[in-house]
């Protein structure tokens, strides 16, 4: 397993755990993961907006299978789409195959066909498959309808958008505990209530503010450090919000362009 991951440069990110997703909004998804663990289901399809935790969850699921002495690999099609499509032809040797950024395959019918064949081979070998995309399988603009049919057969779940405070709190506490990080409670409260809601953006903020506290004991945290951390949270939250606005504008433009292309001509 290690050799295959090294040759593909697709190591599982070990800084992920299913305990990160103990909030109430994730319960149905984690229940489905437990069904994956015991073999009751063979596939799982996750969808949702960017930075809502899909990639983090895929890594956590793969890590959970590794802990069960299963081989697992997690790959992003966003990183692979410009490489050799034959990379998909050898993956069915893994017990669990997680494929992220599925929507990228709109760009290539060749990759769509390769994924279709991978799914078929994996079924024959009783391998388990995980998929993540920004929309349900039925809404992916793929030309290969047989692939859409295969993807639509997987149990499908929309990931929470992060707006539930309990979800954010559970994830934050789990990550801090696993990394051994200690923040002033005022910072934790401020991050949960004033920081970005989406998991990906919240983790970016964590990485920005952690160095501010890494060499400080709890009794050495000054008001200036607290103020600097809060200012950093505000700045990075604004960056995340602007990124969301930009993305929404791009999505609306793509949808409008698509409507214009398919609009019937009037005479």
């Amino acid at each position: 397993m290690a050799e295959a991951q090294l040759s593909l440069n697709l190591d599982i990110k070990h800084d992920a755990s299913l305990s990160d997703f103990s909030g109430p909004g994730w319960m149905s998804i984690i229940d489905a993961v437990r069904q994956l663990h015991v073999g009751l289901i063979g596939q799982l399809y996750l969808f949702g907006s960017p930075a809502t935790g899909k990639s983090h969850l895929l890594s956590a699921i793969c890590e959970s299978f590794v802990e069960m002495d299963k081989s697992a690999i997690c790959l992003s099609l966003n990183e692979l789409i410009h490489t050799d499509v034959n990379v998909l032809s050898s993956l069915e040797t893994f017990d669990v195959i997680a494929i992220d950024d599925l929507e990228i395959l709109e760009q290539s019918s060749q990759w769509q066909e390769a994924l279709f064949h991978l799914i078929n081979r994996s079924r024959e070998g009783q391998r388990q498959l995980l998929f993540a995309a920004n929309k349900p399988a039925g809404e992916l603009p793929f030309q290969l309808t047989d692939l859409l049919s295969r993807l639509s057969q997987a149990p499908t779940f929309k990931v929470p958008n992060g707006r539930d405070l309990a979800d954010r709190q559970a994830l934050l506490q789990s990550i801090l505990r696993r990394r051994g990080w200690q923040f002033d409670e005022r910072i934790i409260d401020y991050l949960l209530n004033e920081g970005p809601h989406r998991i990906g953006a919240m983790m970016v903020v964590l990485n920005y503010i952690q160095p501010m506290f890494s060499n400080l004991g709890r009794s050495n945290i000054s008001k200036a450090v607290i103020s600097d951390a809060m200012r950093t949270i505000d700045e990075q939250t604004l960056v995340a919000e602007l990124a969301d606005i930009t993305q929404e504008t791009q999505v609306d433009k793509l949808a409008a362009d698509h409507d214009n292309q398919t609009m019937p001509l009037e005479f």
Side-chain angles (χ1 to χ4, degrees):
M1 172 184 168
E3 292 179 359
Q5 285 184 335
L6 181 61
S7 63
L8 293 173
N9 193 28
L10 295 170
D11 291 327
I12 294 173
K13 298 175 182 177
H14 295 283
D15 186 26
S17 171
L18 289 182
S19 63
D20 297 347
F21 304 93
S22 58
W26 296 92
M27 291 184 63
S28 60
I29 297 177
I30 297 303
D31 181 63
V33 174
R34 302 304 181 196
Q35 294 182 56
L36 278 171
H37 283 164
V38 298
L40 292 179
I41 59 177
Q43 296 184 47
L44 188 64
Y45 187 104
L46 307 171
F47 73 95
S49 302
T52 48
K54 301 186 297 298
S55 300
H56 192 74
L57 178 57
L58 287 186
S59 293
I61 295 173
C62 286
E63 178 65 18
S64 71
F65 274 100
V66 170
E67 292 171 354
M68 298 167 59
D69 293 325
K70 297 288 186 70
S71 60
I73 190 165
C74 187
L75 52 89
S76 167
L77 291 174
N78 193 36
E79 300 173 0
L80 290 181
I81 192 67
H82 300 298
T83 64
D84 189 344
V85 69
N86 291 321
V87 72
L88 295 184
S89 64
S90 60
L91 296 182
E92 64 268 20
T93 57
F94 290 88
D95 296 316
V96 180
I97 307 164
I99 300 176
D100 199 3
D101 303 310
L102 207 59
E103 65 277 359
I104 296 298
L105 293 193
E106 177 187 357
Q107 303 173 14
S108 173
S109 58
Q110 187 180 20
W111 277 85
Q112 292 176 32
E113 183 175 353
L115 180 59
F116 173 74
H117 291 308
L118 173 62
I119 293 174
N120 290 340
R121 292 193 304 270
S122 298
R123 285 183 170 184
E124 293 173 1
Q126 296 184 325
R127 309 302 184 185
Q128 292 176 297
L129 293 168
L130 314 172
F131 304 104
N134 61 4
K135 60 185 67 176
E139 297 180 13
L140 293 171
F142 291 174
Q143 296 83 16
L144 188 57
T145 55
D146 286 342
L147 173 58
L148 293 175
S149 176
R150 291 287 192 276
L151 294 171
S152 297
Q153 293 172 10
T156 300
F157 296 87
K158 182 177 182 180
V159 300
N161 58 17
R163 296 192 180 280
D164 191 309
L165 176 62
D167 287 344
R168 299 199 304 279
Q169 188 171 31
L171 181 130
L172 179 59
Q173 290 175 345
S174 177
I175 291 176
L176 294 180
R177 182 169 57 250
R178 192 172 61 256
R179 294 182 179 180
W181 290 356
Q182 292 187 354
F183 290 163
D184 186 279
E185 288 296 328
R186 289 168 290 181
I187 295 302
I188 293 177
D189 290 342
Y190 195 82
L191 177 57
L192 287 172
N193 291 288
E194 305 297 334
H197 290 167
R198 297 194 183 191
I199 288 176
M202 186 172 73
M203 293 179 68
V204 168
V205 173
L206 277 179
N207 291 328
Y208 266 99
I209 64 176
Q210 190 274 335
M212 300 180 182
F213 299 90
S214 59
N215 296 320
L216 298 177
R218 290 190 175 185
S219 60
N220 297 326
I221 300 175
S222 65
K223 291 183 179 180
V225 172
I226 296 296
S227 297
D228 286 345
M230 288 182 175
R231 183 166 56 251
T232 299
I233 292 172
D234 289 339
E235 291 171 351
Q236 293 304 312
T237 300
L238 178 59
V239 170
E241 290 174 349
L242 291 174
D244 287 344
I245 294 173
T246 300
Q247 182 181 36
E248 289 172 1
T249 301
Q250 291 174 341
V251 170
D252 291 341
K253 184 179 184 302
L254 288 173
D257 291 343
H258 181 269
D259 291 341
N260 291 334
Q261 291 172 3
T262 58
M263 186 177 299
L265 295 176
E266 295 183 2
F267 297 95

